[in-house]
Every structure is written in structure tokens, then in C-alpha cells.
Amino acid sequence: QVQLVESGGGLVQAGGSLRLSCLASGRTFSIYGMAWFRQAPVKEREFVAHISQGGSSTYYADSVKGRFTISRDNAKATMYLQSNSLKPEDTAVYYCAARAGPRSVVGGDYDYWGQGTQVTVSS
């Protein structure tokens, strides 16, 4: 079992930045590929970014490429999402997820989820 807890969300103006964190506890963090997903009101859950177990490989949705950066610190069992140049359309609840397998953009492939952190971008 892995427990995931997100933090760092908040209200920010368009063009601003936020750094989200996902703290893991339980089984060894480094065996899991990690991802960020988001869900806006009345919209489907959407893949945002993935990072491999060791952190050497990252992958982004086109909508955030060049603005968001995913990273992880296995010694601290923590994953991050640095979100820059935020837009109102980035407003959503952001979730971190863990998967003991290869990269996937499908939420259903992930084994563990956090409770989410709200990001609101005002125009």
C-alpha cells in the first residue's frame, strides 16, 4: 500500500506560478512511476505529466508542455509539479498517482491516488 498526499494548491492570477507536492508513504517510493492528473468541474479527468521511477524520463500533455515541470526526490519520497505561466484553463483539482509499471496516460492504470489539491487561476 502507498499513501499519497498532495499539497501546494491555491489561488493564483493568470501568468503566475505554483509548486505542487505529492508526499508518499508506505512502500518504497522509488519502485513507482508517478503522474499528475487533473479534473476540472464537469470535465473528465485529464493526464498532465508522468515521471519514471528514477526520474530520468518525463512526459507531458501537450496542454502543459513548456509550462509545467515534473520532478521527484526519491530520498524524500516526494514528487513535484512546478507550474508556470498558469492560465484560467489550468483551474482544476490536481491529483498525484502511482503505478508499479511503465508510463501510462490512462488514469485507470494507476494503483494509488491522493485526495487532490485545488488550483484556481483567475483571469
Side-chain angles (χ1 to χ4, degrees):
Q1 286 283 347
V2 174
Q3 293 78 44
L4 303 174
V5 179
E6 302 95 335
S7 61
L11 173 64
V12 63
Q13 289 188 329
S17 299
L18 281 175
R19 189 193 197 203
L20 307 184
S21 298
C22 173
L23 176 64
S25 60
R27 296 191 65 184
T28 304
F29 178 67
S30 60
I31 71 172
Y32 294 97
M34 299 294 296
W36 289 97
F37 287 79
R38 66 187 182 186
Q39 187 165 20
V42 303
K43 288 190 176 181
E44 302 245 333
R45 184 173 55 194
E46 175 188 25
F47 169 82
V48 176
H50 176 274
I51 188 165
S52 61
Q53 287 84 338
S56 61
S57 176
T58 58
Y59 182 77
Y60 298 91
D62 287 343
S63 58
V64 306
K65 201 174 295 181
R67 300 187 298 121
F68 290 12
T69 302
I70 190 171
S71 62
R72 66 190 294 167
D73 184 337
N74 285 346
K76 295 182 179 180
T78 304
M79 175 179 66
Y80 305 97
L81 186 69
Q82 179 65 44
S83 310
N84 299 330
S85 302
L86 283 160
K87 305 174 182 180
E89 51 264 44
D90 294 318
T91 295
V93 177
Y94 283 70
Y95 299 91
C96 65
R99 178 172 192 242
R103 181 186 76 203
S104 175
V105 301
V106 177
D109 289 339
Y110 286 78
D111 304 303
Y112 303 101
W113 292 83
Q115 84 290 346
T117 186
Q118 176 71 48
V119 171
T120 303
V121 184
S122 63
S123 56

